[in-house]
Amino acid sequence: MSMGMQTALAAQLEAAARIAGLAVVSSEAGADFSGNPTVRYKLSLAGDAAKTETLELGSRVDLDRADLRAELAEYLAEAAKRLKNPRPDCYLTLHGLPLRFSKFAWPFHTSTSGADTYLVHGEVWLEDGQPAVLHSKIAASMTLTFAEIVKAPEQPFAEGFIYNAVRKTMDQGQLELVKSGNRQPVPVTTRYFSPWKKQFNFNDTTEAQRHEYLAAKAFWLSGVLGGGQPVWLADPRDAQYLNTTAAELKKAAVALASEGLIQFAADGEFATPTAALMGRQERYAAEVAAQLAFIKPAFNEEMRAGHTNM
């Protein structure tokens, strides 16, 4: 990437970040999986320099495109709210696993094995208040057909659905959390996108499920991992994962507050768990244990003993 292109890209990003309530603290040259140049930007909340995240953009991103600028603005606006969370790197699965997402190397790169796929590597770690040991190394693969749906194979335009695909794959018991191991595949195909609705499709959920999900999110991300600091309950990334809307999540949060399980912060969008909700510790710990048992591979004991029909 030429110096002129870097300067132009930085100016565009700084302008968009400022509108979203973020500041570009620093930038440094990087390289993607294939060695192509990237730029890593360190972003912080405008009023809280301690809250930061890294945004990595490849050399081929074209922010002169109006559609990319619009989607980048939306990504940054959501990132600014997410950074107000006590643990903005943590997400909850539908079945109750609190996970930390880290070391995702953007942008996508083409497969080196000859397959017609684009890949992005990262890690997810179990964060249940104990020392983080169990994790999955991820290789999320996007098919060529699916890639046509994505505006650009870059972090701002793909991070949300990749994180949700990882959570969905974990829900299905197709990812294992281990102490050490090789990368595990997360296939991202057109089954995750509805062409007639023009939207992603991950988990059909009921009102009751969304109610329980937000209660567990407040418990884990605020009560256990966040020191009781408010957490954003109407995150559009969660809405996409649960096949719902941010408005429906707000409705579920209001119901939780009326039941005395959460308390809204002054802004009405963030909330903390009450003592009544934190009293569910045994229940939520049991959910984590059950899900860990579910995703652990099961072996046919008779086949392992040599008793087969083959």
PDB file of all heavy atoms in Angstrom, residues 46-66:
ATOM      1  N   ALA A  46     -13.981   8.021  22.501  1.00  0.00           N
ATOM      2  CA  ALA A  46     -13.537   9.417  22.547  1.00  0.00           C
ATOM      3  C   ALA A  46     -13.383   9.923  23.971  1.00  0.00           C
ATOM      4  O   ALA A  46     -12.500  10.722  24.265  1.00  0.00           O
ATOM      5  CB  ALA A  46     -14.517  10.293  21.772  1.00  0.00           C
ATOM      6  N   GLY A  47     -14.215   9.448  24.876  1.00  0.00           N
ATOM      7  CA  GLY A  47     -14.144   9.922  26.251  1.00  0.00           C
ATOM      8  C   GLY A  47     -13.484   8.965  27.214  1.00  0.00           C
ATOM      9  O   GLY A  47     -13.465   9.216  28.428  1.00  0.00           O
ATOM     10  N   ASP A  48     -12.956   7.851  26.708  1.00  0.00           N
ATOM     11  CA  ASP A  48     -12.335   6.848  27.577  1.00  0.00           C
ATOM     12  C   ASP A  48     -11.230   6.136  26.809  1.00  0.00           C
ATOM     13  O   ASP A  48     -11.457   5.121  26.153  1.00  0.00           O
ATOM     14  CB  ASP A  48     -13.388   5.851  28.067  1.00  0.00           C
ATOM     15  CG  ASP A  48     -12.846   4.897  29.118  1.00  0.00           C
ATOM     16  OD1 ASP A  48     -11.633   4.914  29.383  1.00  0.00           O
ATOM     17  OD2 ASP A  48     -13.644   4.124  29.679  1.00  0.00           O
ATOM     18  N   ALA A  49     -10.019   6.654  26.903  1.00  0.00           N
ATOM     19  CA  ALA A  49      -8.889   6.113  26.142  1.00  0.00           C
ATOM     20  C   ALA A  49      -8.505   4.710  26.583  1.00  0.00           C
ATOM     21  O   ALA A  49      -7.770   4.018  25.877  1.00  0.00           O
ATOM     22  CB  ALA A  49      -7.682   7.046  26.277  1.00  0.00           C
ATOM     23  N   ALA A  50      -9.008   4.261  27.735  1.00  0.00           N
ATOM     24  CA  ALA A  50      -8.676   2.916  28.213  1.00  0.00           C
ATOM     25  C   ALA A  50      -9.457   1.844  27.465  1.00  0.00           C
ATOM     26  O   ALA A  50      -9.065   0.673  27.472  1.00  0.00           O
ATOM     27  CB  ALA A  50      -8.950   2.804  29.707  1.00  0.00           C
ATOM     28  N   LYS A  51     -10.563   2.218  26.839  1.00  0.00           N
ATOM     29  CA  LYS A  51     -11.386   1.271  26.085  1.00  0.00           C
ATOM     30  C   LYS A  51     -10.947   1.308  24.624  1.00  0.00           C
ATOM     31  O   LYS A  51     -11.200   2.283  23.915  1.00  0.00           O
ATOM     32  CB  LYS A  51     -12.867   1.637  26.208  1.00  0.00           C
ATOM     33  CG  LYS A  51     -13.450   1.465  27.610  1.00  0.00           C
ATOM     34  CD  LYS A  51     -13.567  -0.022  27.944  1.00  0.00           C
ATOM     35  CE  LYS A  51     -14.325  -0.245  29.248  1.00  0.00           C
ATOM     36  NZ  LYS A  51     -15.752   0.055  29.149  1.00  0.00           N
ATOM     37  N   THR A  52     -10.294   0.229  24.176  1.00  0.00           N
ATOM     38  CA  THR A  52      -9.750   0.224  22.820  1.00  0.00           C
ATOM     39  C   THR A  52     -10.093  -1.076  22.088  1.00  0.00           C
ATOM     40  O   THR A  52     -10.422  -2.088  22.700  1.00  0.00           O
ATOM     41  CB  THR A  52      -8.216   0.373  22.835  1.00  0.00           C
ATOM     42  OG1 THR A  52      -7.619  -0.780  23.454  1.00  0.00           O
ATOM     43  CG2 THR A  52      -7.801   1.629  23.569  1.00  0.00           C
ATOM     44  N   GLU A  53      -9.998  -1.009  20.774  1.00  0.00           N
ATOM     45  CA  GLU A  53     -10.075  -2.206  19.943  1.00  0.00           C
ATOM     46  C   GLU A  53      -9.217  -1.985  18.709  1.00  0.00           C
ATOM     47  O   GLU A  53      -8.883  -0.838  18.363  1.00  0.00           O
ATOM     48  CB  GLU A  53     -11.504  -2.543  19.541  1.00  0.00           C
ATOM     49  CG  GLU A  53     -12.092  -1.696  18.446  1.00  0.00           C
ATOM     50  CD  GLU A  53     -13.313  -2.348  17.809  1.00  0.00           C
ATOM     51  OE1 GLU A  53     -14.097  -3.010  18.521  1.00  0.00           O
ATOM     52  OE2 GLU A  53     -13.477  -2.184  16.590  1.00  0.00           O
ATOM     53  N   THR A  54      -8.842  -3.069  18.056  1.00  0.00           N
ATOM     54  CA  THR A  54      -8.009  -2.993  16.859  1.00  0.00           C
ATOM     55  C   THR A  54      -8.847  -3.245  15.625  1.00  0.00           C
ATOM     56  O   THR A  54      -9.646  -4.187  15.574  1.00  0.00           O
ATOM     57  CB  THR A  54      -6.871  -4.032  16.917  1.00  0.00           C
ATOM     58  OG1 THR A  54      -6.047  -3.762  18.054  1.00  0.00           O
ATOM     59  CG2 THR A  54      -6.019  -3.971  15.653  1.00  0.00           C
ATOM     60  N   LEU A  55      -8.685  -2.393  14.640  1.00  0.00           N
ATOM     61  CA  LEU A  55      -9.342  -2.548  13.350  1.00  0.00           C
ATOM     62  C   LEU A  55      -8.247  -2.708  12.299  1.00  0.00           C
ATOM     63  O   LEU A  55      -7.407  -1.824  12.149  1.00  0.00           O
ATOM     64  CB  LEU A  55     -10.206  -1.333  13.029  1.00  0.00           C
ATOM     65  CG  LEU A  55     -10.859  -1.309  11.645  1.00  0.00           C
ATOM     66  CD1 LEU A  55     -11.833  -2.459  11.493  1.00  0.00           C
ATOM     67  CD2 LEU A  55     -11.576   0.021  11.417  1.00  0.00           C
ATOM     68  N   GLU A  56      -8.254  -3.848  11.599  1.00  0.00           N
ATOM     69  CA  GLU A  56      -7.227  -4.105  10.587  1.00  0.00           C
ATOM     70  C   GLU A  56      -7.858  -4.103   9.207  1.00  0.00           C
ATOM     71  O   GLU A  56      -8.840  -4.803   8.955  1.00  0.00           O
ATOM     72  CB  GLU A  56      -6.535  -5.449  10.848  1.00  0.00           C
ATOM     73  CG  GLU A  56      -5.363  -5.702   9.914  1.00  0.00           C
ATOM     74  CD  GLU A  56      -4.459  -6.834  10.392  1.00  0.00           C
ATOM     75  OE1 GLU A  56      -4.893  -7.605  11.269  1.00  0.00           O
ATOM     76  OE2 GLU A  56      -3.323  -6.930   9.896  1.00  0.00           O
ATOM     77  N   LEU A  57      -7.291  -3.295   8.313  1.00  0.00           N
ATOM     78  CA  LEU A  57      -7.802  -3.169   6.956  1.00  0.00           C
ATOM     79  C   LEU A  57      -6.721  -3.532   5.957  1.00  0.00           C
ATOM     80  O   LEU A  57      -5.560  -3.154   6.112  1.00  0.00           O
ATOM     81  CB  LEU A  57      -8.284  -1.738   6.692  1.00  0.00           C
ATOM     82  CG  LEU A  57      -9.482  -1.258   7.520  1.00  0.00           C
ATOM     83  CD1 LEU A  57      -9.752   0.210   7.251  1.00  0.00           C
ATOM     84  CD2 LEU A  57     -10.710  -2.105   7.226  1.00  0.00           C
ATOM     85  N   GLY A  58      -7.114  -4.291   4.936  1.00  0.00           N
ATOM     86  CA  GLY A  58      -6.175  -4.698   3.902  1.00  0.00           C
ATOM     87  C   GLY A  58      -5.937  -3.612   2.873  1.00  0.00           C
ATOM     88  O   GLY A  58      -6.613  -2.581   2.845  1.00  0.00           O
ATOM     89  N   SER A  59      -4.988  -3.880   2.001  1.00  0.00           N
ATOM     90  CA  SER A  59      -4.571  -2.877   1.023  1.00  0.00           C
ATOM     91  C   SER A  59      -5.589  -2.665  -0.091  1.00  0.00           C
ATOM     92  O   SER A  59      -5.529  -1.679  -0.810  1.00  0.00           O
ATOM     93  CB  SER A  59      -3.231  -3.299   0.401  1.00  0.00           C
ATOM     94  OG  SER A  59      -3.350  -4.571  -0.235  1.00  0.00           O
ATOM     95  N   ARG A  60      -6.535  -3.601  -0.225  1.00  0.00           N
ATOM     96  CA  ARG A  60      -7.465  -3.523  -1.351  1.00  0.00           C
ATOM     97  C   ARG A  60      -8.816  -2.903  -0.994  1.00  0.00           C
ATOM     98  O   ARG A  60      -9.682  -2.775  -1.853  1.00  0.00           O
ATOM     99  CB  ARG A  60      -7.685  -4.922  -1.932  1.00  0.00           C
ATOM    100  CG  ARG A  60      -6.396  -5.564  -2.455  1.00  0.00           C
ATOM    101  CD  ARG A  60      -6.610  -7.006  -2.864  1.00  0.00           C
ATOM    102  NE  ARG A  60      -5.345  -7.645  -3.236  1.00  0.00           N
ATOM    103  CZ  ARG A  60      -5.224  -8.935  -3.539  1.00  0.00           C
ATOM    104  NH1 ARG A  60      -6.286  -9.717  -3.498  1.00  0.00           N
ATOM    105  NH2 ARG A  60      -4.043  -9.434  -3.861  1.00  0.00           N
ATOM    106  N   VAL A  61      -9.009  -2.544   0.254  1.00  0.00           N
ATOM    107  CA  VAL A  61     -10.293  -1.965   0.639  1.00  0.00           C
ATOM    108  C   VAL A  61     -10.452  -0.589  -0.005  1.00  0.00           C
ATOM    109  O   VAL A  61      -9.499   0.188  -0.062  1.00  0.00           O
ATOM    110  CB  VAL A  61     -10.426  -1.879   2.179  1.00  0.00           C
ATOM    111  CG1 VAL A  61      -9.407  -0.924   2.769  1.00  0.00           C
ATOM    112  CG2 VAL A  61     -11.838  -1.476   2.575  1.00  0.00           C
ATOM    113  N   ASP A  62     -11.638  -0.314  -0.520  1.00  0.00           N
ATOM    114  CA  ASP A  62     -11.885   0.921  -1.250  1.00  0.00           C
ATOM    115  C   ASP A  62     -13.002   1.702  -0.560  1.00  0.00           C
ATOM    116  O   ASP A  62     -14.186   1.481  -0.825  1.00  0.00           O
ATOM    117  CB  ASP A  62     -12.277   0.596  -2.694  1.00  0.00           C
ATOM    118  CG  ASP A  62     -12.554   1.844  -3.527  1.00  0.00           C
ATOM    119  OD1 ASP A  62     -12.224   2.950  -3.050  1.00  0.00           O
ATOM    120  OD2 ASP A  62     -13.101   1.715  -4.641  1.00  0.00           O
ATOM    121  N   LEU A  63     -12.617   2.612   0.337  1.00  0.00           N
ATOM    122  CA  LEU A  63     -13.615   3.371   1.068  1.00  0.00           C
ATOM    123  C   LEU A  63     -14.164   4.543   0.265  1.00  0.00           C
ATOM    124  O   LEU A  63     -14.945   5.345   0.778  1.00  0.00           O
ATOM    125  CB  LEU A  63     -13.022   3.870   2.388  1.00  0.00           C
ATOM    126  CG  LEU A  63     -12.686   2.778   3.408  1.00  0.00           C
ATOM    127  CD1 LEU A  63     -12.215   3.392   4.715  1.00  0.00           C
ATOM    128  CD2 LEU A  63     -13.868   1.853   3.646  1.00  0.00           C
ATOM    129  N   ASP A  64     -13.777   4.626  -1.002  1.00  0.00           N
ATOM    130  CA  ASP A  64     -14.413   5.599  -1.879  1.00  0.00           C
ATOM    131  C   ASP A  64     -15.798   5.113  -2.317  1.00  0.00           C
ATOM    132  O   ASP A  64     -16.609   5.897  -2.811  1.00  0.00           O
ATOM    133  CB  ASP A  64     -13.550   5.870  -3.123  1.00  0.00           C
ATOM    134  CG  ASP A  64     -12.309   6.690  -2.785  1.00  0.00           C
ATOM    135  OD1 ASP A  64     -12.396   7.493  -1.843  1.00  0.00           O
ATOM    136  OD2 ASP A  64     -11.286   6.515  -3.449  1.00  0.00           O
ATOM    137  N   ARG A  65     -16.050   3.812  -2.127  1.00  0.00           N
ATOM    138  CA  ARG A  65     -17.365   3.253  -2.447  1.00  0.00           C
ATOM    139  C   ARG A  65     -18.377   3.673  -1.378  1.00  0.00           C
ATOM    140  O   ARG A  65     -18.153   3.472  -0.185  1.00  0.00           O
ATOM    141  CB  ARG A  65     -17.292   1.732  -2.537  1.00  0.00           C
ATOM    142  CG  ARG A  65     -16.620   1.212  -3.777  1.00  0.00           C
ATOM    143  CD  ARG A  65     -16.430  -0.299  -3.706  1.00  0.00           C
ATOM    144  NE  ARG A  65     -17.642  -1.014  -3.274  1.00  0.00           N
ATOM    145  CZ  ARG A  65     -17.681  -2.332  -3.055  1.00  0.00           C
ATOM    146  NH1 ARG A  65     -16.566  -3.062  -3.209  1.00  0.00           N
ATOM    147  NH2 ARG A  65     -18.804  -2.909  -2.670  1.00  0.00           N
ATOM    148  N   ALA A  66     -19.489   4.220  -1.810  1.00  0.00           N
ATOM    149  CA  ALA A  66     -20.488   4.713  -0.874  1.00  0.00           C
ATOM    150  C   ALA A  66     -21.058   3.605   0.004  1.00  0.00           C
ATOM    151  O   ALA A  66     -21.313   3.816   1.195  1.00  0.00           O
ATOM    152  CB  ALA A  66     -21.619   5.404  -1.645  1.00  0.00           C
TER     153      ALA A  66
END
